[in-house]
Amino acid sequence: MIFGKIDYLNLLPLHIYLKKMPLPTYVKKITEYKKGVPKKLNESLYFRRIDAAIISSIESYNKKYKTLNIGICANKKVKSVLVKKQTQNKEDSSSATSNALAKILKQNGEVIIGDKALKLYLQNPNAYIDLCEVWYEKLKLPFVFARFSCIKNFSNYKKIMNCFVKRKIFIPQYILCDYAKSRKLSQREIKNYLKLIYYKIDTKEQLALKKFYIMQKELRIKNKKN
């Protein structure tokens, strides 16, 4: 079992959960090793370098994957998927979903995601557009940034992930301290950020996923015609 890891704060609870799971040591080491930004994990899963990962929502629609209603969700705000105001259009090389979301919402500027985006937003929120906030204003729905997708060992992963969403994960103080230092954020900022993130893709989230996929497909067709 080789699980891909997005090394962002938004999946910190999952990483802690996996570390506590009674898995063989070698599996945990591989899980930790196979880490990267969302776009890199999209490619790794597609080419079967890993068995499963929480990948970009857009990529999760590939018919070769088995998926679960588990992913990275936010409602009304996220603070870590942004467009910088008064800048030239520029995609974030780490992301697929966020770049598409900016185009769908017609938000011009530089797309920035992840822990770097969170830090910038907290320093100067008025300089950035929160794409989750714009999405909610437009559709009154949460947004699903990524979804669990699998190409191998699906039944094993299903048990693990279904247990994860049912549990409240406690983040040990020493881990919180380490992440605060490495991300150059305060522990309170990390805790407040994680309150915006949840993982169960329920009815509203499924509807949001469908709408996003349809809107992205329509935009792609429109661009081809132009």
Side-chain angles (χ1 to χ4, degrees):
M1 289 173 63
I2 306 174
F3 188 81
K5 171 184 175 181
I6 298 175
D7 196 21
Y8 288 160
L9 283 171
N10 55 23
L11 280 179
L12 177 56
L14 175 60
H15 305 327
I16 290 169
Y17 171 76
L18 290 175
K19 281 185 177 181
K20 290 182 177 180
M21 282 286 294
L23 298 172
T25 303
Y26 79 91
V27 173
K28 292 186 179 183
K29 284 183 178 179
I30 293 172
T31 301
E32 184 67 25
Y33 178 72
K34 296 290 184 180
K35 62 184 179 181
V37 297
K39 209 165 187 178
K40 183 179 177 181
L41 291 186
N42 292 347
E43 293 173 1
S44 295
L45 188 62
Y46 184 85
F47 290 109
R48 296 177 178 269
R49 298 182 195 122
I50 56 177
D51 299 337
I54 293 180
I55 63 170
S56 300
S57 294
I58 287 178
E59 298 299 322
S60 73
Y61 272 93
N62 191 311
K63 291 180 180 178
K64 72 193 292 182
Y65 303 139
K66 290 184 177 180
T67 60
L68 293 173
N69 285 324
I70 296 169
I72 301 172
C73 311
N75 191 26
K76 298 182 182 179
K77 276 193 173 204
V78 73
K79 298 183 182 179
S80 60
V81 179
L82 313 172
V83 167
K84 188 175 183 180
K85 296 177 182 177
Q86 298 178 339
T87 57
Q88 291 185 338
N89 288 354
K90 183 182 177 183
E91 294 188 346
D92 190 307
S93 60
S94 304
S95 176
T97 295
S98 302
N99 293 329
L101 181 60
K103 291 174 184 175
I104 287 169
L105 297 175
K106 298 179 181 178
Q107 299 299 312
N108 296 319
E110 181 184 359
V111 179
I112 309 170
I113 74 159
D115 300 345
K116 174 188 173 183
L118 175 61
K119 185 181 176 185
L120 290 169
Y121 182 89
L122 292 174
Q123 289 172 344
N124 187 8
N126 293 328
Y128 300 92
I129 298 163
D130 185 328
L131 290 178
C132 184
E133 194 171 4
V134 179
W135 172 267
Y136 181 80
E137 288 170 359
K138 185 180 178 70
L139 284 92
K140 300 296 183 232
L141 287 170
F143 192 78
V144 181
F145 293 95
R147 180 166 56 160
F148 175 86
S149 303
C150 183
I151 213 158
K152 189 179 177 184
N153 295 316
F154 180 71
S155 59
N156 292 331
Y157 282 113
K158 185 177 180 179
K159 291 175 187 176
I160 292 170
M161 297 303 293
N162 283 340
C163 286
F164 165 66
V165 292
K166 291 175 184 177
R167 292 192 184 183
K168 185 175 181 180
I169 307 300
F170 172 76
I171 302 174
Q173 186 66 28
Y174 76 94
I175 292 179
L176 196 58
C177 185
D178 286 346
Y179 270 82
K181 287 179 181 177
S182 65
R183 275 30 177 203
K184 295 181 180 178
L185 295 164
S186 71
Q187 293 183 33
R188 178 180 284 185
E189 286 171 335
I190 292 173
K191 286 179 180 179
N192 287 340
Y193 170 63
L194 289 175
K195 289 176 184 176
L196 301 174
I197 307 296
Y198 61 100
Y199 306 101
K200 188 175 181 181
I201 300 175
D202 222 326
T203 307
K204 283 188 177 181
E205 289 77 17
Q206 289 175 39
L207 178 59
L209 260 178
K210 288 177 183 177
K211 284 187 176 290
F212 173 64
Y213 183 72
I214 290 168
M215 292 164 80
Q216 191 268 338
K217 194 173 181 180
E218 288 173 348
L219 181 64
R220 195 169 62 226
I221 292 169
K222 183 180 177 182
N223 289 339
K224 279 185 179 180
K225 287 181 179 178
N226 293 337

